[in-house]
Amino acid sequence: MKYLVTTFKIIPNSEIARDLLASIAAEAGFETFEESDEGMKGYVQESLFAADVLDECIKDFPLPDVTISYTVSPAEDKDWNETWEQAGFEPIVIDNRCIIYDAKQAENGTIKMANEKLTDAPHEKEETLQTSETSSPLSIAIDARMAFGTGTHDTTQMIVRQLLDMHVEGKRVLDCGCGTGILGIVAAKLGAERVVAYDIDEWSVENTRHNASLNGVDFIEVLQGDAHVLSHVSGVFDIVLANINRNILLQDMPAFKDIMAPEAVLIISGFYEEDIPLLVDKASSLSLEYHGKDSSGDWRCLVFR
């Protein structure tokens, strides 16, 4: 398949701006990114590149003092999937209760890194650790094939923490914009009765199915599309997870509300402190009650009921 490389110039160039641009550029078909001196480069299949969507995302960029321009050119003809996948990621330990590791590293005999991190991890949430129903750390293998959600990002880790603190067993869980499928897989391994996941990107859908099988939770139902696919899903959900950018959250929150059971919980992330008033107001207009906030770096996570 033919790829395009898009060189983004970001003024001023910052980690926050790059992270946010990568998140919203995914809506225009972009699959992976790398930092550059003036911003970053993004790679997208030529047949999937939606220039109009990218332009609209940049026009509505949530950081008003940031200016973004870009140029597009054919990418070197090579297997970008293989290049990205070979890089992998180091094991991640979340509150000593969950280990997320690269499935390829495990195959290469380096999973011991996760155990070392677990041993050395600080006990920052002593009360939570003592009351957790999980007697041993949850172990999640992820074979990240260019899909967002290895567990390295703050937003993913915050939602995983929320799930670890909840009683998930027997619940019905929806993962919106599933990426690698990590959030739905965590829910399934915590005992969820039903897990449905969806993503607009075909690659992410296939990656979620692959990772679900890898973790022995093949019962996860994975659909391709945006929030409109929810009109074809039967039943309602007790827990709805959405790690997506602010604009998509604002757009899709009514669809989330429509499939939430009484007393259901909505957990969202993928935005910053300044985005919270807009999201809380939108939730309030849908009779969703604000129930709490988590922070990690510049990123935020909100919980509604």
Side-chain angles (χ1 to χ4, degrees), residues 220-275:
I220 295 178
E221 180 183 357
V222 191
L223 307 172
Q224 183 180 354
D226 57 19
H228 289 95
V229 302
L230 297 177
S231 63
H232 303 292
V233 175
S234 61
V236 292
F237 296 87
D238 305 299
I239 302 171
V240 177
L241 314 170
N243 188 8
I244 318 176
N245 72 72
R246 181 201 68 180
N247 292 341
I248 301 299
L249 288 170
L250 291 170
Q251 172 185 295
D252 292 350
M253 208 179 292
F256 302 159
K257 168 65 186 308
D258 287 344
I259 48 78
M260 291 173 68
E263 306 301 322
V265 177
L266 170 65
I267 305 172
I268 61 174
S269 193
F271 49 86
Y272 302 103
E273 182 72 28
E274 56 266 31
D275 299 321

Side-chain angles (χ1 to χ4, degrees), residues 8-22 24 38-40 54-70 272 274-275 298:
F8 294 97
K9 184 176 182 179
I10 306 172
I11 304 175
N13 185 15
S14 67
E15 182 179 0
I16 295 177
R18 291 193 299 271
D19 281 350
L20 187 56
L21 179 58
I24 64 178
E38 294 185 311
M40 67 182 190
L54 179 61
D55 290 339
E56 191 66 25
C57 289
I58 291 175
K59 178 182 176 182
D60 295 333
F61 199 68
L63 301 180
D65 297 329
V66 173
T67 301
I68 299 172
S69 58
Y70 69 88
Y272 302 103
E274 56 266 31
D275 299 321
D298 296 305

Side-chain angles (χ1 to χ4, degrees), residues 4 9 15 36 44 54 60 85-86 99 106 156 183 192 201 207 227 263 280:
L4 300 174
K9 184 176 182 179
E15 182 179 0
S36 64
V44 58
L54 179 61
D60 295 333
E85 290 165 21
Q86 285 178 349
I99 300 173
T156 307
L183 298 178
D201 178 39
N207 195 200
E263 306 301 322
V280 171

Side-chain angles (χ1 to χ4, degrees), residues 11 16 24 31 46 60 96 121 128 134 161-162 181 192 209 246 250 262 284 287:
I11 304 175
I16 295 177
I24 64 178
E31 297 175 354
E46 186 174 18
D60 295 333
N96 258 16
T128 302
T134 306
R161 287 191 183 96
Q162 291 292 332
R209 290 174 178 153
R246 181 201 68 180
L250 291 170
S284 179
S287 299

